[in-house]
Amino acid sequence: MNRPIHARPRCAAATLTAAVLATTLATTPLVAQDLVIQAARIVVAADTVLTDGRLLVRQGKVAWVGDDIPADARARARVVDYGDATIVPGFVLAQSTLTQDADLAESALAFTPDLRAAEGFDPWRKETRELPRCGVTAVGLSASPRNVAGGIGALVKPGREVATIPVPELHLTLSLTQAARNEERPPTSMMGAIDLLRTTFTIAKAGTHAGPDAAVLRQVLSGSRAVFVHADAYTEICGALDLARDFGFTVTLVGARDAEKLLPRLVEQKVNVVLDSLLPESRLEQLTLPTRLAEAGLPFCFGGRPELLRLSAALAVRNGLDRRTALQALTRMPATLLGQQASIGSLRQDHAADFLVFRGDPLDLDAKHLATWIDGVRVYGEEPPAKKPAAEPAATVAGDN
Amino acid sequence: MRISLLRSFLAGCCCAAIGLPIVRAQEPTPAPDQPTPAPEQPAPEEPTPAPEQPAEQGAPETPPAEAERRPNRRRRPVVVIEAGTVHPVAGPTIQDGVVVIRGERILAVGKKGEVEVPDGATVQSFPTGHAYPGLVDAWTDAFTDVSVRGDGGLDAGDAVADALRLNDDRGDRLVAAGITTAYVAVASPATLRGQGAVVRPRREGFEVWQGHERAALGLRLTAGPAPSHALQRQQQQQQAAALFDGLEEWKKARTDHEEALKKYEKEFAEYLAWHEKKKEGKPGDKKPEGDAKPAAPGEQAPPASPPAEGGERPRRGRQPRPPGEQPKPSEPPKPNEQPKPEEPPKQDGAGDADLERALGVLLDLLAQEPQPQGPAKQEPKPATGEPAAGGPAGAAKPADQKEGDKKDEAPKRPTYPKAPPRDPQKEALQRVLDGELPLRVEAHRPDELRAALAMQERRQIPAMVLERAFGAAAVAGELAARGVPVVLTDVLPIPMPKAYEDYDPAALPAVLQARGAPFAIASGSMRRAASLPLMAATAVGRGLDRDAALRAITLSPAEILGVAKDTGSLQAGKYADVLVCDRPLFASDSRVLLVLAKGRVEHEVK
C-alpha cells in the first residue's frame, strides 16, 4: 500500500540526516579525553620544575602546564595522579641505527648522501618496542657509520606495537671512523675518506653537479641541513673539524672519544657532541669527558645504546657532572641537536606529551622507573588508580633543581 | 730459653708453610698536616692515631684481650666519627650518630650524646655526611694481572695470593671507592681456578687477610655466553663433578699414613725407652748408634747421631773434650745404620709438653758426642768421606751388634712409614669435602645451577657459593631451602649477551630476596669496583629493599667470606672499617670523604 503523500518528505529528511550523521562520524576522528597528569615533582625543562604540579595533555600534546590549566578543562579531564613521583621529559637519543646497521648502510658504495634512513627502517622490530622501557621516547635514526656519507636521518618515535616516523628527513650522516674505511671498496684509508669528502663538497660548492647527492651537500653548505660526523680518534676529529672550517658549516661530532685533546678548537668552532655510551669500566678520561665539555661550555648529549642512556648520565654525575646539565643532555640538548626542540625534549606548552615517571630522581639508579608516555599514550609501566578531578591549590614553580 | 727459641723457630717454619701475608706498601704514616676535621669543626687536638705493629709484617695480630693484659702497653688514642646519619647495617639507621674507635677496633656506635666518648678523643665531624661500614666486594680480580686471569693451567692447588701484585692503575685503588675488604679470584678459563684470597685494600697496596690466604676454591661450571646446548653443557658438568672422584682412596691412604705414623711414634718411643733404661743400667757403655736407615725415595734421611751419654740431658752443641783427646772426624751414618730419626712433626695445636718432649729427644740426638767404646763394643767406623747411607746397605756390618746380641730383648726398631705422594689438587678438593674450604662455583644458566646443586648434594659439600648465577631466578626456591649463597655480578642496567638476553641480573636481587635466598652483590672486576654502590642502587631501582641492598655490599659478603665477626657492619668489637660519604651512598653523585680501615686513614678528601 502506498504511504500517504504528506509522510514522504519526513522520511526522506530523516534518512538524509542519518546519512549525514553517519558520514560525519566516519570522517571525524574520535576525540580522546584530556588527561591531567599530576605528580609531586614535574620537570618541565631542566630549569623549570613544578612542585605538586600538573600537566594537561590533549591530543598527544601538552596543552597547559601548572596553574595555566583552565578550570573547565581540568574538570573535564581524566586525572592520572602519580603521587610522590617525579615526571621528566622523555629521553631523546640523538643518533642511533637501532640495531639495523645492515639495512642502513649501502656497503657497495661509500658515498650515498641522498639515501634516506627512513626508507630502510623496519618500525616493527622488537628492539624498537624495548625503547620505552629504557625511557627513550624519540630517536634520531641515522644511516650507519659504515659509509663515509651514509645518508639522511629521520626522527622515529617508538610505540606500544609499532614505531612512527614523524619527521622523515633530518641531518646528513658522515663518518670518518674505522668502520667507514673498508678494504673491499674505497676509501680504504683515512686520507682517502677525507679526500672523498673534500672532493664531493668542492664539487657541490661549485654547483657543477646536479645530482641528488650534490643537492644534499649544498643543503649542508647553505646551513639548511645539519650534519653529524662520526669521529672518535684525534685524527678523525681533526679531519671533521678541518672539513667544517674549510667549507663553513657547523658539525656535530658523534663519539668524539678524544675530544678532550681538542677542547679549545671545539669551542672555537662551536661544535656539538653526541657522546658514546659510558660504562663503569670506561677509561677515566671518558667518564670525566662530559664534565670537561660542560666546563668548556660545549653543547653535548648522551648517545650510544638506548639501554645505557640512564647509566651514562649516572656515571657522568658520579664523575663530576651536575645533575641539571646531565638531565639536559638526556632531553633538551639532543632535541636541539636534531632541530626538534620545538616539539620534544621538554614539557612546555605545545610540546609532545612524551614523559617518564620515576619514583625518585631519574639520575639516581635507585629510582624506580614507573611509566613511559609517548604522545599522551602510556606505552610502558602502570597507571595509578584514576581519581576524580578536584580543585587543587596552584602548583609551585621552582627554579633550578 | 732453649724451648722458647726453638718454639720461635718452629713457629716461623709454620708461618712459612701457611704463607706469610704479602707486604706491598710501606706502613702509611699519618701525615701530621692532614686536616682531619670537616670545615665546621675546629682542628683536632691529636693527629690520626699512629698504627700499632701492623699485621701485614707477618706477626700475628694481638687479640684485644691479650692487649689488656699487658700493663705497660700504651693506650691507643680514640677517634670519634660524627655523622649526620650512621648506617650500622646490623641495626637501624642512627641520626646524628657517632662511631667511637680505639686503635683498630670500634668501641661503640650510637647516637651522639648517648655514647660515652673518652676524654682526649679526636673528633672528625661530618654533620651532613653518611657513615657506613667499609664495603666488602665479594668478588674482584684486582691486584691480578692479565696472565693470571687468562691462565687456563690453574688447578685447585694454586693460590691466587701468590700471584697478587699492584698494576699501577685505577684498579688498585679499591679503597678510594670505599672497599676495605675484597675476595680476589680470577675468572680464568681453567675448570679449577685456584684458591682465592681475602685481601684488605690499602692506600697504596693491599694486605692479605691472615688466615684467609686460601679462602675458597674456584670451579667453573659454565660454558659461558657462547652458543651451546644443554647436552654439551651436561658433558662439561659431568667432567667437573668427576674431579672429586678418587678422593676416598687418596684420603684413605692419608689416613693410613697418619695411623702408621702414630704407631711409629709409639713403637719408637718404646724403642728409645728400652735403650734409655739399658743405658742407665750400664754406665760407660756406648749407646747403640742408630742404623743407617735407608731413606725412602723422596724423603730426607734423618740426621744420625747417638744418644747422650749417661743420664744427663746434654747441652746443645759439642761436649767438652777431655784434655789430650783428639777431635774425632764426624761420622757419617753407617750403611745399615738407622740414625735416630727426628720426632715426627707435631700437628697443629700440639701442647707445650709434647713439644718439649719432642725437642728434648731431638736435642739429645743432635748433641750427643760419640762416646769412647770398649774393645767389645767398638763399632766399625767407616772410612772418612764415605757418603751417608742413602740407599740400601753397603759393606759395613750393622753397627748395633748389641741389638744382634740382645735380639731377644730389644724391641725391633720401627720403620718410618712412607708418606703417599703429595697432591695439592686432591688436598684442596678434600678440604672442600671436609668443609674447611668453601667451593665457589661459577654457573650462569639454570641447568648449570642445578648441576652445581646436584653436585653439592651428591658429594656432600658443606660450603658452596654460586657466582654470577644469572639464571638464579629459576632455582631461587632451592637456593633458599639449602641456604646456598649467591654472589651476583653485572647488577647494572646493561645489555646482556645474546645467549643471556632472557636474564635480568638487575632484577635478580629482588627476586632472591623475595624467595629468601642469601646473596651478595659484587663488582666482578676491578674496573667496576667504584660502581659497587651503583650496582646496589640499581637493585633498589628494580625492587630490592634499600636495607637489603646495603647489606648485600657489606655484611652479607663478609658472611660469605667468613670475616663477618671482624667487618661488614659498624658494631663494637669489629674492625674500624668506616666509609663516610657526603650524601647517601646510592646517590649517583655521592662522594667518598673518608675511608678508615682498621682505624687507619686509607683515603681522605680534603
Side-chain angles (χ1 to χ4, degrees):
Chain A
M1 141 187 171
N2 292 335
R3 281 182 297 169
I5 297 175
H6 66 274
R8 286 179 194 161
R10 282 207 291 275
C11 287
T15 304
L16 180 61
T17 304
V20 168
L21 189 60
T23 305
T24 305
L25 285 173
T27 56
T28 305
L30 286 171
V31 177
Q33 186 182 15
D34 291 349
L35 294 175
V36 168
I37 310 293
Q38 293 181 181
R41 193 165 170 264
I42 296 183
V43 181
V44 173
D47 55 355
T48 308
V49 180
L50 305 181
T51 307
D52 291 328
R54 63 186 65 84
L55 311 168
L56 190 135
V57 175
R58 175 175 289 173
Q59 295 185 356
K61 293 194 175 183
V62 177
W64 285 281
V65 176
D67 52 1
D68 292 339
I69 302 175
D72 58 337
R74 196 189 322 162
R76 285 196 306 271
R78 180 168 74 88
V79 175
V80 179
D81 187 356
Y82 277 104
D84 62 354
T86 297
I87 289 179
V88 297
F91 299 157
V92 178
L93 183 56
Q95 182 279 330
S96 177
T97 59
L98 294 177
T99 71
Q100 296 189 35
D101 268 53
D103 288 327
L104 296 179
E106 180 46 57
S107 56
L109 299 170
F111 192 80
T112 55
D114 55 310
L115 297 188
R116 299 166 74 210
E119 293 173 350
F121 175 65
D122 178 3
W124 288 92
R125 279 176 72 105
K126 186 185 78 167
E127 290 83 359
T128 314
R129 290 199 295 277
E130 294 295 317
L131 292 174
R133 194 167 67 87
C134 308
V136 175
T137 56
V139 178
L141 179 73
S142 290
S144 169
R146 287 194 275 172
N147 278 5
V148 175
I152 299 170
L155 185 71
V156 167
K157 297 188 84 171
R160 262 200 200 143
E161 295 294 330
V162 62
T164 58
I165 306 177
V167 181
E169 289 202 9
L170 280 179
H171 53 272
L172 170 65
T173 302
L174 303 179
S175 175
L176 290 173
T177 60
Q178 183 68 40
R181 306 197 288 270
N182 191 330
E183 293 272 330
E184 295 172 9
R185 56 108 178 96
T188 60
S189 67
M190 180 70 177
M191 295 186 300
I194 293 180
D195 181 66
L196 174 60
L197 289 173
R198 283 190 176 278
T199 303
T200 50
F201 269 101
T202 302
I203 293 171
K205 190 172 181 181
T208 54
H209 185 55
D213 48 353
V216 170
L217 297 186
R218 278 195 287 273
Q219 289 169 350
V220 170
L221 294 173
S222 68
S224 63
R225 189 179 295 281
V227 59
F228 282 23
V229 181
H230 289 261
D232 282 320
Y234 176 84
T235 49
E236 295 165 4
I237 297 174
C238 284
L241 295 181
D242 291 343
L243 204 68
R245 179 197 59 203
D246 295 344
F247 289 93
F249 57 84
T250 305
V251 70
T252 295
L253 294 176
V254 180
R257 185 187 64 228
D258 288 349
E260 192 178 354
K261 299 176 184 171
L262 290 152
L263 274 180
R265 194 168 169 194
L266 296 179
V267 172
E268 180 195 337
Q269 288 189 231
K270 296 184 176 50
V271 172
N272 309 311
V273 178
V274 177
L275 294 169
D276 206 352
S277 301
L278 296 179
L279 290 169
E281 54 265 36
S282 299
R283 291 183 300 124
L284 196 58
E285 296 77 13
Q286 294 306 118
L287 294 171
T288 55
L289 182 58
T291 307
R292 300 293 303 275
L293 294 176
E295 288 169 353
L298 279 168
F300 72 94
C301 67
F302 296 107
R305 297 188 63 159
E307 317 93 311
L308 298 175
L309 271 184
R310 195 171 157 214
L311 177 62
S312 298
L315 287 169
V317 167
R318 192 162 191 80
N319 284 275
L321 187 66
D322 66 279
R323 285 177 181 259
R324 178 184 157 188
T325 307
L327 186 61
Q328 270 189 321
L330 287 171
T331 55
R332 179 89 175 151
M333 189 53 67
T336 304
L337 298 188
L338 292 173
Q340 303 300 306
Q341 66 273 22
S343 61
I344 57 173
S346 72
L347 295 174
R348 299 190 193 282
Q349 198 174 23
D350 291 332
H351 279 61
D354 299 342
F355 57 90
L356 311 177
V357 186
F358 285 92
R359 179 149 295 122
D361 190 316
L363 294 174
D364 292 328
L365 296 179
D366 61 349
K368 185 170 179 184
H369 180 194
L370 298 176
T372 299
W373 293 66
I374 297 177
D375 293 328
V377 175
R378 181 174 50 80
V379 296
Y380 168 79
E382 299 298 327
E383 195 173 302
K387 284 187 183 176
K388 290 179 64 174
E392 304 232 0
T396 308
V397 176
D400 293 351
N401 255 30
Chain B
M1 182 178 167
R2 179 188 64 192
I3 300 298
S4 63
L5 285 173
L6 284 169
R7 181 188 297 174
S8 303
F9 170 74
L10 286 174
C13 291
C14 291
C15 288
I18 65 175
L20 281 169
I22 300 170
V23 180
R24 298 295 180 186
Q26 295 294 328
E27 183 61 40
T29 306
D33 59 347
Q34 276 184 0
T36 45
E40 296 80 2
Q41 290 292 325
E45 295 173 14
E46 292 178 68
T48 308
E52 295 291 338
Q53 290 295 324
E56 67 274 18
Q57 290 186 358
E61 288 183 5
T62 304
E66 187 168 334
E68 296 297 328
R69 291 199 290 270
R70 297 183 184 176
N72 58 347
R73 186 187 180 89
R74 188 172 60 88
R75 203 155 177 78
R76 297 177 184 178
V78 172
V79 173
V80 174
I81 304 292
E82 293 180 349
T85 312
V86 173
H87 305 262
V89 177
T93 302
I94 304 169
Q95 299 299 325
D96 290 325
V98 296
V99 180
V100 183
I101 297 165
R102 185 192 295 279
E104 294 183 340
R105 302 271 174 177
I106 296 174
L107 267 186
V109 179
K111 198 169 173 60
K112 191 176 173 183
E114 295 177 6
V115 172
E116 185 183 345
V117 174
D119 293 334
T122 302
V123 176
Q124 297 194 44
S125 183
F126 303 91
T128 58
H130 291 253
Y132 299 89
L135 304 184
V136 180
D137 193 349
W139 185 14
T140 179
D141 57 5
F143 314 122
T144 62
D145 64 21
V146 170
S147 59
V148 173
R149 294 196 286 271
D151 186 357
L154 292 176
D155 66 28
D158 293 323
V160 173
D162 295 340
L164 297 181
R165 48 162 281 178
L166 291 179
N167 293 309
D168 296 322
D169 61 17
R170 68 181 166 128
D172 292 342
R173 296 189 282 276
L174 264 59
V175 77
I179 297 171
T180 54
T181 306
Y183 172 75
V184 179
V186 291
S188 86
T191 301
L192 285 168
R193 294 162 156 178
Q195 299 175 36
V198 178
V199 304
R200 295 189 61 88
R202 300 282 304 275
R203 184 196 297 261
E204 288 179 11
F206 59 89
E207 61 181 40
V208 180
W209 195 309
Q210 276 200 341
H212 296 273
E213 298 84 355
R214 293 171 180 256
L217 175 63
L219 171 67
R220 183 176 65 88
L221 202 63
T222 180
S228 64
H229 58 77
L231 290 178
Q232 288 173 314
R233 296 193 292 273
Q234 203 176 60
Q235 199 175 15
Q236 181 186 7
Q237 292 152 18
Q238 285 166 356
Q239 285 172 357
L243 291 168
F244 291 92
D245 292 342
L247 281 180
E248 292 86 6
E249 292 80 12
W250 181 82
K251 186 178 179 182
K252 184 171 184 310
R254 287 274 301 265
T255 308
D256 290 346
H257 174 64
E258 283 166 14
E259 287 175 6
L261 265 181
K262 286 182 190 163
K263 185 178 172 206
Y264 171 83
E265 275 184 49
K266 182 167 171 286
E267 289 177 356
F268 190 75
E270 289 170 3
Y271 175 81
L272 274 183
W274 187 89
H275 284 286
E276 292 254 351
K277 278 187 194 165
K278 188 169 184 321
K279 185 179 66 179
E280 284 168 8
K282 297 181 180 181
D285 284 352
K286 182 180 178 189
K287 292 215 181 319
E289 292 189 3
D291 291 336
K293 177 177 89 78
E299 280 194 59
Q300 211 171 3
S305 70
E309 179 181 18
E312 297 178 354
R313 182 182 292 279
R315 292 193 302 278
R316 205 175 167 182
R318 288 186 173 278
Q319 297 288 337
R321 275 187 286 280
E325 184 179 318
Q326 295 296 318
K328 295 189 174 60
S330 60
E331 291 187 11
K334 301 181 179 49
N336 296 334
E337 278 189 17
Q338 288 197 351
K340 301 276 189 296
E342 321 177 315
E343 283 286 320
K346 291 292 180 186
Q347 299 298 322
D348 287 340
D352 284 352
D354 292 337
L355 181 66
E356 289 200 17
R357 183 173 64 84
L359 290 171
V361 172
L362 179 64
L363 290 168
D364 286 341
L365 298 174
L366 290 173
Q368 187 64 33
E369 276 280 17
Q371 297 299 317
Q373 295 181 352
K377 298 183 178 66
Q378 193 153 23
E379 297 183 9
K381 295 186 174 53
T384 305
E386 218 175 56
K397 58 184 170 184
D400 194 356
Q401 294 183 355
K402 286 181 194 173
E403 284 190 352
D405 294 338
K406 301 187 180 174
K407 200 185 242 187
D408 296 332
E409 296 181 20
K412 185 180 176 184
R413 186 184 179 91
T415 307
Y416 194 83
K418 178 181 170 183
R422 196 159 172 260
D423 189 333
Q425 171 145 314
K426 284 196 161 69
E427 283 178 16
L429 292 170
Q430 187 59 50
R431 287 185 65 208
V432 168
L433 294 182
D434 293 339
E436 296 169 7
L437 192 64
L439 182 69
R440 289 183 60 138
V441 180
E442 183 181 351
H444 299 173
R445 298 176 172 83
D447 61 297
E448 294 166 352
L449 294 166
R450 290 194 188 97
L453 293 171
M455 179 180 69
Q456 185 198 26
E457 186 171 354
R458 190 168 61 251
R459 300 290 180 177
Q460 298 291 304
I461 297 172
M464 188 173 80
V465 177
L466 295 173
E467 295 177 335
R468 292 233 157 98
F470 302 131
V475 295
E478 203 170 340
L479 294 174
R482 294 214 204 168
V484 175
V486 182
V487 172
L488 299 170
T489 59
D490 302 275
V491 182
L492 284 169
I494 52 176
M496 296 294 283
K498 192 161 178 55
Y500 294 164
E501 59 188 8
D502 291 336
Y503 306 135
D504 190 356
L508 202 43
V511 170
L512 293 179
Q513 184 197 22
R515 301 300 296 269
F519 66 93
I521 295 175
S523 67
S525 161
M526 60 176 178
R527 304 302 295 274
R528 291 186 173 182
S531 300
L532 191 58
L534 290 186
M535 295 184 184
T538 301
V540 172
R542 299 299 303 276
L544 182 65
D545 287 345
R546 201 166 285 272
D547 290 338
L550 179 59
R551 196 183 201 282
I553 55 175
T554 51
L555 191 53
S556 292
E559 289 167 348
I560 290 173
L561 301 182
V563 295
K565 77 174 177 56
D566 285 317
T567 192
S569 61
L570 296 178
Q571 282 181 283
K574 288 196 175 183
Y575 282 142
D577 295 341
V578 184
L579 162 66
V580 181
C581 300
D582 63 344
R583 57 194 74 202
L585 184 64
F586 296 155
S588 291
D589 49 0
S590 181
R591 305 259 182 276
V592 173
L593 298 178
L594 177 71
V595 179
L596 302 181
K598 286 191 189 172
R600 290 184 290 250
V601 176
E602 298 289 356
H603 178 78
E604 188 173 21
V605 172
K606 298 185 177 61

